[in-house]
Amino acid sequence: MGVLLAACCAALAGTSAALQCWQPQPPGQPLLATQLPPHPRLRLNDSRLAELNHTIQTDSTAKAYFDGLVIYGEAWLTEPHVDCTATHMSNTQSRTTLTIQYNLGLLWRLTGDRRFAERAAQELLHVTTNCTTWDPYGLVLAEMTHAVGLGYDWLYSYLSPVRRQAIVAGVARMGFGEALLQYSDHVFWANCTFNWGIVTNGGLTIGGLAFLDEPAAAANVSAVLAKAAVGIQCPFGSFAPHGGWHEGSMYWQYVAEYAVATTEALRGVYGSDRGLSDSPGFNETALFRLHMNGPSQSSFDFGDSDGSLANSAAGYFMGYSQLPSSSHQLRSLCAYEGRRLAQLVGGYSPTASSPGARSPGATGTRYNCSLIDCARLLIDYSAEGSDALIQSVPTARLFKLSAFGWEGRSALGFFRSAWSTASEGVDGKHSYLAFKAANGVPNHNDLDGGTFVYEAGGQRWAMDMGSDDYQLK
Protein backbone atom coordinates (compact mmCIF):
# COMPACT_ATOMS: atom_id res chain seq x y z
CA MET A 1 0.00 0.00 0.00
CA GLY A 2 2.85 2.38 0.82
CA VAL A 3 4.37 1.95 -2.64
CA LEU A 4 1.01 2.55 -4.28
CA LEU A 5 0.32 5.75 -2.36
CA ALA A 6 3.84 7.01 -2.89
CA ALA A 7 3.34 6.57 -6.62
CA CYS A 8 0.04 8.44 -6.45
CA CYS A 9 1.65 11.32 -4.60
CA ALA A 10 4.54 11.43 -7.06
CA ALA A 11 2.08 11.63 -9.92
CA LEU A 12 0.55 14.70 -8.29
CA ALA A 13 3.88 16.41 -7.72
CA GLY A 14 3.49 18.51 -10.85
CA THR A 15 0.29 20.05 -9.49
CA SER A 16 1.57 20.75 -5.99
CA ALA A 17 1.80 24.47 -6.66
CA ALA A 18 -1.98 24.54 -7.07
CA LEU A 19 -2.53 23.01 -3.63
CA GLN A 20 -2.93 26.10 -1.48
CA CYS A 21 -2.11 24.75 1.96
CA TRP A 22 -3.73 26.65 4.80
CA GLN A 23 -1.18 28.20 7.14
CA PRO A 24 -1.96 28.44 10.86
CA GLN A 25 -0.12 30.72 13.24
CA PRO A 26 3.65 30.10 13.37
CA PRO A 27 4.46 27.16 15.65
CA GLY A 28 6.95 29.18 17.69
CA GLN A 29 9.76 27.74 19.79
CA PRO A 30 9.35 24.39 21.56
CA LEU A 31 9.10 24.60 25.32
CA LEU A 32 12.30 24.12 27.27
CA ALA A 33 12.52 20.96 29.35
CA THR A 34 12.26 22.99 32.56
CA GLN A 35 8.95 24.47 31.36
CA LEU A 36 7.23 21.22 30.40
CA PRO A 37 4.24 19.98 32.39
CA PRO A 38 5.08 16.87 34.42
CA HIS A 39 4.15 13.37 33.31
CA PRO A 40 1.45 12.38 32.55
CA ARG A 41 0.80 15.27 30.18
CA LEU A 42 -0.61 13.70 26.99
CA ARG A 43 -4.37 14.07 26.52
CA LEU A 44 -5.30 13.22 30.13
CA ASN A 45 -3.31 14.84 32.92
CA ASP A 46 -3.89 13.97 36.57
CA SER A 47 -6.37 16.80 37.07
CA ARG A 48 -8.55 15.60 34.23
CA LEU A 49 -8.11 12.02 35.41
CA ALA A 50 -9.61 12.96 38.78
CA GLU A 51 -12.57 14.53 36.98
CA LEU A 52 -13.01 11.37 34.92
CA ASN A 53 -12.95 9.18 38.03
CA HIS A 54 -15.69 11.34 39.54
CA THR A 55 -17.71 11.12 36.32
CA ILE A 56 -17.46 7.31 36.31
CA GLN A 57 -18.83 7.29 39.86
CA THR A 58 -21.75 9.59 39.06
CA ASP A 59 -22.67 8.95 35.41
CA SER A 60 -24.19 5.57 34.51
CA THR A 61 -23.06 5.67 30.87
CA ALA A 62 -19.45 6.47 31.76
CA LYS A 63 -19.59 3.73 34.39
CA ALA A 64 -20.84 1.26 31.77
CA TYR A 65 -17.95 2.19 29.45
CA PHE A 66 -15.55 1.67 32.34
CA ASP A 67 -17.02 -1.71 33.28
CA GLY A 68 -16.71 -2.84 29.67
CA LEU A 69 -13.15 -1.54 29.52
CA VAL A 70 -12.16 -3.63 32.55
CA ILE A 71 -13.42 -6.80 30.86
CA TYR A 72 -11.68 -5.86 27.63
CA GLY A 73 -8.44 -4.96 29.38
CA GLU A 74 -8.32 -8.19 31.35
CA ALA A 75 -8.55 -10.13 28.09
CA TRP A 76 -5.42 -8.33 26.87
CA LEU A 77 -3.36 -9.44 29.86
CA THR A 78 -2.73 -12.89 28.38
CA GLU A 79 -2.34 -11.87 24.73
CA PRO A 80 1.12 -12.44 23.18
CA HIS A 81 3.43 -9.60 22.20
CA VAL A 82 3.12 -8.22 18.69
CA ASP A 83 5.31 -9.84 16.05
CA CYS A 84 7.50 -6.92 15.07
CA THR A 85 10.13 -8.67 13.01
CA ALA A 86 10.95 -6.73 9.87
CA THR A 87 9.01 -9.15 7.65
CA HIS A 88 5.83 -8.88 9.74
CA MET A 89 5.85 -5.25 10.88
CA SER A 90 2.71 -3.55 9.57
CA ASN A 91 -0.28 -1.46 10.56
CA THR A 92 -1.63 -4.48 12.43
CA GLN A 93 1.30 -4.42 14.82
CA SER A 94 1.27 -0.66 15.33
CA ARG A 95 -2.51 -0.54 15.82
CA THR A 96 -2.30 -3.38 18.33
CA THR A 97 0.41 -1.55 20.26
CA LEU A 98 -1.78 1.57 20.33
CA THR A 99 -4.72 -0.46 21.60
CA ILE A 100 -2.65 -1.95 24.43
CA GLN A 101 -1.24 1.40 25.56
CA TYR A 102 -4.53 3.31 25.45
CA ASN A 103 -6.66 0.64 27.11
CA LEU A 104 -4.26 -0.82 29.67
CA GLY A 105 -2.64 2.53 30.36
CA LEU A 106 -6.00 4.12 31.09
CA LEU A 107 -7.06 1.20 33.28
CA TRP A 108 -3.84 1.44 35.28
CA ARG A 109 -4.41 5.14 35.88
CA LEU A 110 -8.09 4.71 36.77
CA THR A 111 -7.74 1.66 39.02
CA GLY A 112 -4.12 1.49 40.21
CA ASP A 113 -4.17 -2.21 39.27
CA ARG A 114 -0.52 -3.05 38.57
CA ARG A 115 -1.48 -5.94 36.27
CA PHE A 116 -2.51 -3.44 33.61
CA ALA A 117 0.59 -1.32 34.09
CA GLU A 118 2.93 -4.30 33.91
CA ARG A 119 1.41 -5.73 30.73
CA ALA A 120 1.57 -2.33 29.02
CA ALA A 121 5.14 -1.81 30.23
CA GLN A 122 6.18 -5.22 28.88
CA GLU A 123 4.82 -4.27 25.47
CA LEU A 124 6.71 -0.97 25.52
CA LEU A 125 9.95 -2.80 26.28
CA HIS A 126 9.24 -5.41 23.64
CA VAL A 127 8.68 -2.98 20.77
CA THR A 128 11.62 -0.75 21.75
CA THR A 129 14.19 -3.51 22.34
CA ASN A 130 13.14 -6.49 20.19
CA CYS A 131 11.94 -4.75 17.03
CA THR A 132 14.47 -4.08 14.28
CA THR A 133 12.49 -1.36 12.53
CA TRP A 134 9.26 0.57 12.82
CA ASP A 135 9.34 1.65 9.23
CA PRO A 136 7.95 -0.58 6.54
CA TYR A 137 6.23 2.74 5.69
CA GLY A 138 5.50 6.05 7.37
CA LEU A 139 2.12 5.24 8.93
CA VAL A 140 3.60 2.44 11.01
CA LEU A 141 6.56 4.60 12.03
CA ALA A 142 4.24 7.33 13.29
CA GLU A 143 1.73 5.05 14.99
CA MET A 144 4.44 3.15 16.86
CA THR A 145 5.96 6.46 17.98
CA HIS A 146 2.51 7.63 19.11
CA ALA A 147 1.89 4.39 21.03
CA VAL A 148 5.28 4.35 22.75
CA GLY A 149 5.07 8.05 23.62
CA LEU A 150 1.62 7.77 25.13
CA GLY A 151 2.49 4.59 27.02
CA TYR A 152 5.73 6.07 28.35
CA ASP A 153 3.92 9.22 29.48
CA TRP A 154 1.02 7.44 31.19
CA LEU A 155 3.21 4.76 32.81
CA TYR A 156 6.07 7.08 33.74
CA SER A 157 5.63 6.75 37.50
CA TYR A 158 5.43 2.96 37.20
CA LEU A 159 8.50 2.46 35.01
CA SER A 160 11.88 1.99 36.66
CA PRO A 161 14.81 4.18 35.55
CA VAL A 162 16.33 1.18 33.76
CA ARG A 163 13.15 0.54 31.82
CA ARG A 164 12.79 4.21 30.94
CA GLN A 165 16.33 4.27 29.60
CA ALA A 166 15.70 1.26 27.36
CA ILE A 167 12.45 2.72 26.01
CA VAL A 168 14.04 6.10 25.31
CA ALA A 169 16.94 4.47 23.46
CA GLY A 170 14.57 2.47 21.27
CA VAL A 171 12.25 5.32 20.34
CA ALA A 172 15.20 7.64 19.72
CA ARG A 173 16.60 5.23 17.16
CA MET A 174 13.56 3.65 15.48
CA GLY A 175 11.18 6.58 15.91
CA PHE A 176 12.77 10.01 15.87
CA GLY A 177 16.05 9.05 14.20
CA GLU A 178 14.27 7.33 11.34
CA ALA A 179 11.75 10.17 11.02
CA LEU A 180 14.53 12.74 10.64
CA LEU A 181 16.16 10.66 7.91
CA GLN A 182 12.89 10.59 6.00
CA TYR A 183 12.19 14.29 6.48
CA SER A 184 15.68 15.03 5.13
CA ASP A 185 14.91 12.87 2.10
CA HIS A 186 11.74 14.92 1.44
CA VAL A 187 9.47 11.91 1.94
CA PHE A 188 6.09 12.39 0.29
CA TRP A 189 4.06 12.26 3.53
CA ALA A 190 5.92 15.21 5.05
CA ASN A 191 3.72 17.66 3.11
CA CYS A 192 0.68 16.04 1.55
CA THR A 193 -3.03 16.82 1.61
CA PHE A 194 -4.47 13.39 2.45
CA ASN A 195 -4.67 11.13 5.51
CA TRP A 196 -0.95 10.28 5.61
CA GLY A 197 -0.08 13.92 6.32
CA ILE A 198 -2.10 14.08 9.53
CA VAL A 199 -1.38 10.53 10.75
CA THR A 200 2.39 10.71 10.23
CA ASN A 201 3.06 14.26 11.38
CA GLY A 202 0.44 13.93 14.12
CA GLY A 203 1.69 10.62 15.44
CA LEU A 204 5.27 11.86 15.56
CA THR A 205 4.10 15.02 17.35
CA ILE A 206 2.19 13.11 20.04
CA GLY A 207 5.11 10.77 20.63
CA GLY A 208 7.63 13.60 20.62
CA LEU A 209 5.82 15.55 23.31
CA ALA A 210 6.42 12.67 25.73
CA PHE A 211 10.22 12.72 25.29
CA LEU A 212 11.13 16.41 25.05
CA ASP A 213 12.71 16.32 28.50
CA GLU A 214 14.78 13.17 27.89
CA PRO A 215 18.41 14.20 27.24
CA ALA A 216 19.11 11.10 25.14
CA ALA A 217 16.34 12.01 22.70
CA ALA A 218 15.64 15.71 23.14
CA ALA A 219 17.67 17.05 20.18
CA ASN A 220 16.08 14.68 17.68
CA VAL A 221 12.65 15.18 19.24
CA SER A 222 12.87 18.97 18.88
CA ALA A 223 13.90 18.63 15.24
CA VAL A 224 11.06 16.19 14.51
CA LEU A 225 8.49 18.44 16.21
CA ALA A 226 9.65 21.39 14.12
CA LYS A 227 9.33 19.38 10.89
CA ALA A 228 5.96 17.95 11.89
CA ALA A 229 4.61 21.39 12.85
CA VAL A 230 5.19 22.50 9.26
CA GLY A 231 4.08 19.29 7.60
CA ILE A 232 0.75 18.93 9.38
CA GLN A 233 -0.47 22.33 8.20
CA CYS A 234 -1.09 21.14 4.65
CA PRO A 235 -3.49 18.23 5.36
CA PHE A 236 -5.39 20.31 7.93
CA GLY A 237 -6.14 22.61 5.00
CA SER A 238 -8.03 19.76 3.36
CA PHE A 239 -10.95 20.29 5.77
CA ALA A 240 -11.74 23.54 3.96
CA PRO A 241 -14.17 25.00 3.31
CA HIS A 242 -16.98 23.03 5.04
CA GLY A 243 -15.34 20.17 6.94
CA GLY A 244 -15.73 17.56 4.19
CA TRP A 245 -13.08 14.93 3.61
CA HIS A 246 -12.24 13.66 0.14
CA GLU A 247 -11.22 10.09 1.04
CA GLY A 248 -14.50 8.74 2.40
CA SER A 249 -15.88 7.80 5.80
CA MET A 250 -13.21 5.32 6.90
CA TYR A 251 -10.35 7.66 6.15
CA TRP A 252 -12.27 10.51 7.74
CA GLN A 253 -12.20 8.38 10.90
CA TYR A 254 -8.47 7.70 10.61
CA VAL A 255 -7.86 11.41 10.18
CA ALA A 256 -10.25 12.28 13.03
CA GLU A 257 -8.40 9.95 15.38
CA TYR A 258 -5.11 11.75 14.78
CA ALA A 259 -6.45 15.27 14.39
CA VAL A 260 -8.21 15.04 17.76
CA ALA A 261 -5.28 13.33 19.51
CA THR A 262 -2.70 15.76 18.10
CA THR A 263 -4.58 18.94 18.94
CA GLU A 264 -5.39 17.65 22.44
CA ALA A 265 -1.75 16.70 23.07
CA LEU A 266 -0.53 20.11 21.89
CA ARG A 267 -3.03 21.95 24.07
CA GLY A 268 -2.01 19.86 27.07
CA VAL A 269 1.68 20.71 26.67
CA TYR A 270 1.74 24.19 25.11
CA GLY A 271 -1.62 25.56 26.21
CA SER A 272 -2.76 25.81 22.58
CA ASP A 273 -2.72 23.65 19.48
CA ARG A 274 -0.81 26.34 17.58
CA GLY A 275 -3.88 27.34 15.59
CA LEU A 276 -4.64 23.93 14.02
CA SER A 277 -8.19 23.75 15.40
CA ASP A 278 -8.88 27.12 13.75
CA SER A 279 -8.19 25.72 10.28
CA PRO A 280 -11.15 26.39 7.97
CA GLY A 281 -13.76 23.65 8.14
CA PHE A 282 -12.11 21.65 10.91
CA ASN A 283 -14.45 22.87 13.63
CA GLU A 284 -17.49 21.57 11.71
CA THR A 285 -16.13 18.38 10.15
CA ALA A 286 -18.23 16.25 12.53
CA LEU A 287 -21.32 17.47 10.65
CA PHE A 288 -19.89 15.94 7.48
CA ARG A 289 -19.67 12.54 9.16
CA LEU A 290 -23.14 12.98 10.66
CA HIS A 291 -24.69 13.50 7.22
CA MET A 292 -22.91 10.43 5.83
CA ASN A 293 -25.00 8.00 7.92
CA GLY A 294 -28.35 7.04 6.41
CA PRO A 295 -31.50 6.06 8.35
CA SER A 296 -30.13 2.51 8.56
CA GLN A 297 -27.00 4.02 10.19
CA SER A 298 -24.93 2.58 7.35
CA SER A 299 -22.83 5.28 5.74
CA PHE A 300 -22.40 6.51 2.19
CA ASP A 301 -19.41 4.29 1.45
CA PHE A 302 -17.76 6.03 -1.49
CA GLY A 303 -14.04 5.48 -1.82
CA ASP A 304 -12.25 2.79 0.15
CA SER A 305 -14.86 2.65 2.88
CA ASP A 306 -16.85 0.08 4.80
CA GLY A 307 -20.30 1.54 5.28
CA SER A 308 -21.37 -0.83 8.05
CA LEU A 309 -22.58 0.35 11.43
CA ALA A 310 -19.41 -1.02 13.05
CA ASN A 311 -17.50 1.83 11.38
CA SER A 312 -19.75 4.57 12.73
CA ALA A 313 -17.07 6.66 14.47
CA ALA A 314 -18.52 6.81 18.00
CA GLY A 315 -15.23 7.57 19.75
CA TYR A 316 -14.28 10.24 17.22
CA PHE A 317 -17.54 12.11 17.70
CA MET A 318 -16.79 12.16 21.44
CA GLY A 319 -13.35 13.57 20.64
CA TYR A 320 -14.86 16.43 18.68
CA SER A 321 -17.05 17.25 21.69
CA GLN A 322 -13.90 18.72 23.27
CA LEU A 323 -12.89 20.93 20.33
CA PRO A 324 -12.61 24.49 21.70
CA SER A 325 -13.08 26.18 18.31
CA SER A 326 -16.54 24.62 17.83
CA SER A 327 -19.72 26.13 19.19
CA HIS A 328 -21.13 24.76 22.44
CA GLN A 329 -24.15 23.46 20.52
CA LEU A 330 -22.00 21.51 18.07
CA ARG A 331 -19.79 20.13 20.85
CA SER A 332 -22.92 18.93 22.67
CA LEU A 333 -24.28 17.38 19.48
CA CYS A 334 -21.00 15.48 18.99
CA ALA A 335 -21.09 14.18 22.56
CA TYR A 336 -24.64 12.94 22.14
CA GLU A 337 -23.91 11.35 18.75
CA GLY A 338 -20.88 9.59 20.20
CA ARG A 339 -22.96 8.07 22.99
CA ARG A 340 -25.82 7.17 20.61
CA LEU A 341 -23.55 5.36 18.17
CA ALA A 342 -21.68 3.60 20.97
CA GLN A 343 -25.00 2.24 22.20
CA LEU A 344 -25.98 1.02 18.74
CA VAL A 345 -22.62 -0.60 18.01
CA GLY A 346 -21.42 -1.90 21.36
CA GLY A 347 -24.38 -1.87 23.75
CA TYR A 348 -25.96 -5.16 24.73
CA SER A 349 -28.44 -6.46 27.24
CA PRO A 350 -27.10 -7.75 30.57
CA THR A 351 -29.27 -10.84 30.04
CA ALA A 352 -27.64 -11.73 26.69
CA SER A 353 -25.54 -14.88 26.77
CA SER A 354 -22.59 -12.91 25.40
CA PRO A 355 -21.91 -9.55 23.71
CA GLY A 356 -21.95 -11.40 20.40
CA ALA A 357 -25.53 -12.53 21.04
CA ARG A 358 -26.86 -9.01 20.54
CA SER A 359 -28.39 -8.01 17.25
CA PRO A 360 -27.21 -4.79 15.55
CA GLY A 361 -28.75 -1.80 17.22
CA ALA A 362 -29.78 -3.65 20.37
CA THR A 363 -30.05 -1.51 23.45
CA GLY A 364 -28.72 -2.39 26.85
CA THR A 365 -26.66 -1.23 29.78
CA ARG A 366 -23.36 -2.99 29.05
CA TYR A 367 -20.76 -2.34 26.38
CA ASN A 368 -18.54 -4.62 24.35
CA CYS A 369 -15.31 -2.64 24.15
CA SER A 370 -13.95 -4.84 21.39
CA LEU A 371 -16.59 -3.23 19.16
CA ILE A 372 -16.32 0.36 20.33
CA ASP A 373 -13.36 2.38 21.57
CA CYS A 374 -14.22 2.67 25.25
CA ALA A 375 -10.86 4.21 26.15
CA ARG A 376 -11.31 7.17 23.80
CA LEU A 377 -14.98 7.51 24.75
CA LEU A 378 -13.86 7.92 28.36
CA ILE A 379 -10.87 10.18 27.70
CA ASP A 380 -13.13 12.80 26.06
CA TYR A 381 -16.39 11.87 27.79
CA SER A 382 -19.20 14.40 27.88
CA ALA A 383 -22.78 13.84 29.02
CA GLU A 384 -24.08 16.87 27.15
CA GLY A 385 -26.47 16.91 24.21
CA SER A 386 -29.77 15.29 23.29
CA ASP A 387 -31.66 13.96 20.30
CA ALA A 388 -33.22 17.40 19.86
CA LEU A 389 -29.86 18.70 18.62
CA ILE A 390 -29.79 16.08 15.86
CA GLN A 391 -33.35 16.96 14.85
CA SER A 392 -32.37 20.62 14.53
CA VAL A 393 -29.70 19.93 11.88
CA PRO A 394 -30.84 20.79 8.32
CA THR A 395 -31.84 17.67 6.38
CA ALA A 396 -30.01 18.71 3.20
CA ARG A 397 -26.38 19.75 2.84
CA LEU A 398 -23.84 20.21 0.06
CA PHE A 399 -20.15 19.97 0.92
CA LYS A 400 -17.42 21.62 -1.09
CA LEU A 401 -13.92 20.16 -1.10
CA SER A 402 -10.57 21.83 -1.61
CA ALA A 403 -7.87 19.14 -1.84
CA PHE A 404 -6.90 17.04 -4.86
CA GLY A 405 -8.15 19.45 -7.47
CA TRP A 406 -11.61 20.07 -6.08
CA GLU A 407 -10.69 23.74 -5.63
CA GLY A 408 -13.76 24.65 -3.60
CA ARG A 409 -16.31 23.01 -5.90
CA SER A 410 -19.42 21.20 -4.59
CA ALA A 411 -18.45 17.55 -4.32
CA LEU A 412 -20.89 15.72 -2.04
CA GLY A 413 -24.58 16.13 -1.40
CA PHE A 414 -26.82 14.64 1.31
CA PHE A 415 -30.61 14.82 1.39
CA ARG A 416 -33.12 13.13 3.72
CA SER A 417 -36.81 13.48 4.43
CA ALA A 418 -36.15 13.64 8.19
CA TRP A 419 -33.59 12.64 10.79
CA SER A 420 -34.23 9.31 12.48
CA THR A 421 -35.12 9.55 16.15
CA ALA A 422 -33.19 7.90 18.95
CA SER A 423 -35.91 5.27 19.39
CA GLU A 424 -35.66 4.20 15.73
CA GLY A 425 -32.04 3.14 16.06
CA VAL A 426 -31.05 1.26 12.89
CA ASP A 427 -34.66 0.94 11.75
CA GLY A 428 -35.23 4.40 10.31
CA LYS A 429 -37.71 4.42 7.44
CA HIS A 430 -37.05 7.90 6.08
CA SER A 431 -35.80 8.59 2.57
CA TYR A 432 -32.11 9.34 2.10
CA LEU A 433 -30.06 10.24 -0.96
CA ALA A 434 -26.31 10.86 -1.00
CA PHE A 435 -24.14 11.42 -4.06
CA LYS A 436 -20.59 12.26 -5.06
CA ALA A 437 -19.59 14.37 -8.04
CA ALA A 438 -16.86 13.34 -10.48
CA ASN A 439 -13.28 14.46 -10.14
CA GLY A 440 -11.06 11.71 -11.53
CA VAL A 441 -8.33 12.02 -8.91
CA PRO A 442 -6.71 9.05 -7.14
CA ASN A 443 -6.29 8.29 -3.44
CA HIS A 444 -9.08 6.07 -2.19
CA ASN A 445 -11.69 7.30 -4.66
CA ASP A 446 -12.05 4.15 -6.80
CA LEU A 447 -13.14 6.05 -9.94
CA ASP A 448 -16.50 6.52 -8.24
CA GLY A 449 -17.52 9.93 -9.59
CA GLY A 450 -21.30 10.00 -9.91
CA THR A 451 -21.87 7.24 -7.38
CA PHE A 452 -24.86 7.51 -5.05
CA VAL A 453 -26.85 5.62 -2.43
CA TYR A 454 -30.58 5.73 -1.80
CA GLU A 455 -32.62 4.48 1.16
CA ALA A 456 -36.37 4.43 1.75
CA GLY A 457 -38.72 2.39 3.89
CA GLY A 458 -35.88 0.83 5.83
CA GLN A 459 -34.10 -0.55 2.75
CA ARG A 460 -31.03 0.63 0.85
CA TRP A 461 -32.19 0.40 -2.78
CA ALA A 462 -29.10 1.81 -4.48
CA MET A 463 -25.64 1.23 -3.09
CA ASP A 464 -21.98 1.91 -3.69
CA MET A 465 -19.77 -1.16 -3.96
CA GLY A 466 -17.46 0.14 -1.25
CA SER A 467 -13.75 -0.50 -1.10
CA ASP A 468 -11.79 -2.64 -3.53
CA ASP A 469 -8.56 -4.61 -3.37
CA TYR A 470 -5.45 -2.42 -3.12
CA GLN A 471 -3.54 -5.06 -5.07
CA LEU A 472 -6.07 -5.35 -7.90
CA LYS A 473 -4.28 -5.34 -11.26
Side-chain angles (χ1 to χ4, degrees):
M1 182 173 68
V3 173
L4 175 62
L5 287 179
C8 291
C9 201
L12 290 168
T15 63
S16 60
L19 300 176
Q20 300 299 315
C21 295
W22 174 79
Q23 299 292 319
Q25 65 193 56
Q29 295 297 319
L31 292 180
L32 299 176
T34 56
Q35 299 172 308
L36 288 170
H39 296 288
R41 54 179 173 250
L42 296 182
R43 304 198 66 179
L44 191 70
N45 61 25
D46 281 340
S47 175
R48 289 191 57 217
L49 182 74
E51 294 174 4
L52 176 56
N53 258 317
H54 176 73
T55 299
I56 290 170
Q57 295 169 15
T58 57
D59 185 290
S60 61
T61 301
K63 178 62 163 59
Y65 294 161
F66 170 76
D67 290 343
L69 185 64
V70 171
I71 295 171
Y72 185 55
E74 288 180 336
W76 275 103
L77 294 176
T78 55
E79 287 294 308
H81 292 306
V82 298
D83 182 355
C84 62
T85 54
T87 55
H88 289 88
M89 196 65 184
S90 69
N91 274 94
T92 300
Q93 279 66 40
S94 60
R95 299 294 293 174
T96 299
T97 307
L98 268 174
T99 297
I100 291 170
Q101 299 309 317
Y102 267 96
N103 288 277
L104 300 190
L106 182 59
L107 282 168
W108 146 249
R109 296 183 63 197
L110 288 170
T111 67
D113 189 331
R114 296 174 68 88
R115 295 178 304 155
F116 298 123
E118 181 58 26
R119 177 63 185 86
Q122 289 174 4
E123 198 68 29
L124 287 178
L125 288 166
H126 169 67
V127 298
T128 51
T129 61
N130 295 330
C131 293
T132 57
T133 180
W134 293 350
D135 187 48
Y137 45 90
L139 296 178
V140 180
L141 167 65
E143 294 208 271
M144 288 297 289
T145 305
H146 172 189
V148 172
L150 181 115
Y152 183 82
D153 181 63
W154 284 10
L155 298 174
Y156 188 83
S157 65
Y158 178 82
L159 296 168
S160 68
V162 173
R163 282 179 156 185
R164 291 177 196 163
Q165 184 178 17
I167 292 166
V168 171
V171 73
R173 176 174 58 87
M174 290 182 289
F176 306 119
E178 178 61 35
L180 280 180
L181 287 174
Q182 297 204 27
Y183 279 125
S184 65
D185 286 341
H186 306 288
V187 64
F188 76 92
W189 49 256
N191 288 281
C192 65
T193 58
F194 51 96
N195 69 88
W196 282 62
I198 288 180
V199 175
T200 53
N201 292 297
L204 292 167
T205 296
I206 299 164
L209 293 173
F211 295 101
L212 260 175
D213 45 2
E214 293 293 344
N220 279 356
V221 169
S222 295
V224 166
L225 288 175
K227 297 286 189 183
V230 175
I232 204 168
Q233 296 171 8
C234 201
F236 260 79
S238 295
F239 289 107
H242 297 146
W245 193 259
H246 54 288
E247 296 176 291
S249 60
M250 286 183 63
Y251 285 91
W252 179 92
Q253 288 160 215
Y254 198 19
V255 165
E257 175 184 351
Y258 274 83
V260 167
T262 303
T263 54
E264 282 189 356
L266 287 167
R267 289 195 297 272
V269 173
Y270 294 111
S272 78
D273 57 31
R274 306 300 180 88
L276 288 176
S277 61
D278 293 320
S279 57
F282 179 60
N283 63 357
E284 58 178 335
T285 187
L287 289 174
F288 173 70
R289 188 63 184 84
L290 181 74
H291 279 279
M292 290 192 76
N293 277 8
S296 66
Q297 305 307 310
S298 295
S299 71
F300 176 25
D301 53 342
F302 75 87
D304 290 323
S305 295
D306 177 355
S308 66
L309 176 61
N311 285 289
S312 60
Y316 310 130
F317 273 103
M318 193 65 80
Y320 279 113
S321 75
Q322 304 299 319
L323 191 63
S325 59
S326 293
S327 67
H328 179 264
Q329 179 174 332
L330 182 52
R331 294 198 304 270
S332 298
L333 183 153
C334 288
Y336 171 77
E337 182 67 357
R339 299 194 308 274
R340 186 187 75 86
L341 291 173
Q343 177 68 70
L344 290 176
V345 177
Y348 67 99
S349 169
T351 59
S353 58
S354 70
R358 58 176 287 282
S359 59
T363 58
T365 57
R366 296 186 181 179
Y367 288 88
N368 181 352
C369 296
S370 69
L371 299 177
I372 58 173
D373 195 335
C374 292
R376 286 181 175 83
L377 284 165
L378 285 169
I379 289 169
D380 291 314
Y381 185 78
S382 169
E384 295 194 357
S386 67
D387 186 61
L389 289 173
I390 302 291
Q391 302 305 319
S392 69
V393 175
T395 55
R397 179 73 188 268
L398 288 174
F399 285 87
K400 296 179 179 180
L401 296 177
S402 58
F404 275 88
W406 282 106
E407 298 179 350
R409 292 182 291 116
S410 294
L412 292 141
F414 303 92
F415 308 87
R416 66 186 74 219
S417 56
W419 290 98
S420 300
T421 62
S423 61
E424 289 176 302
V426 297
D427 299 317
K429 302 294 192 294
H430 304 293
S431 298
Y432 172 74
L433 171 67
F435 67 83
K436 176 178 178 290
N439 184 316
V441 298
N443 224 60
H444 302 300
N445 277 260
D446 299 338
L447 298 178
D448 52 8
T451 190
F452 66 95
V453 298
Y454 178 68
E455 289 186 21
Q459 177 67 44
R460 180 160 287 194
W461 298 99
M463 64 184 68
D464 186 274
M465 298 303 290
S467 60
D468 211 328
D469 185 351
Y470 283 130
Q471 307 304 321
L472 190 65
K473 304 297 184 183

